[in-house]
Amino acid sequence: METTTLQNDLLVHCITATSFPEGVKQAHEQLHGLVPFDENRKYFGLSWPAEDGRIIYKAAAAELHPGEFSTHHLETKIISKGDYLLIDVHDFMKDIPAIGNAFQQLIYDSRIDPQGFCIEWYMRTDLCRCMIKMKTH
């Protein structure tokens, strides 16, 4: 496991999956259909447990230009600045379960913020950074 620091809050626009894990691909496809793909855009998957034990999952992306998503009226979330514990998953498309395995390691680390959520940051087409915010001191 490694750590990284986000220097600034990051506003993302989200589409909620209808179910987890079955609806995840569809949520990402729907999000990608709203704006053109751009390798400079930041794409994410955000997840956390609901009160009933289900997993809430949101496909998310950051705007490249202010107001770019405004006509779509999407939910927004903030990925907070601060320190994050992370595991990079290389070639994740060849081993999707590796993302879940990374989060299974991260969620049991005593350094994570219990109010944090799981963040999949799709940094490249072959790299998914799995991260959870760390407790602040």
Side-chain angles (χ1 to χ4, degrees), residues 10-113:
L10 183 59
L11 177 70
V12 295
H13 299 263
C14 309
I15 293 181
T16 303
T18 55
S19 61
F20 180 87
E22 302 81 11
V24 168
K25 182 179 180 193
Q26 180 184 11
H28 280 283
E29 288 172 348
Q30 188 178 349
L31 182 67
H32 286 277
L34 295 178
V35 291
F37 174 79
D38 190 308
E39 63 185 24
N40 295 314
R41 186 181 312 283
K42 294 178 173 106
Y43 293 99
F44 302 92
L46 311 175
S47 60
W48 60 91
E51 302 228 349
D52 63 5
R54 292 177 306 112
I55 299 293
I56 296 170
Y57 185 95
K58 297 179 184 291
E63 290 183 323
L64 290 176
H65 314 288
E68 183 178 25
F69 281 102
S70 62
T71 59
H72 302 296
H73 308 289
L74 300 177
E75 175 187 359
T76 58
K77 286 201 72 67
I78 299 286
I79 297 174
S80 301
K81 66 182 176 182
D83 297 326
Y84 285 80
L85 199 59
L86 71 91
I87 297 174
D88 283 339
V89 178
H90 299 273
D91 294 323
F92 64 92
M93 290 302 289
K94 294 178 183 171
D95 186 12
I96 298 290
I99 294 172
N101 294 338
F103 283 116
Q104 284 302 310
Q105 292 177 54
L106 291 168
I107 63 174
Y108 291 109
D109 192 291
S110 62
R111 297 173 287 174
I112 67 164
D113 179 347

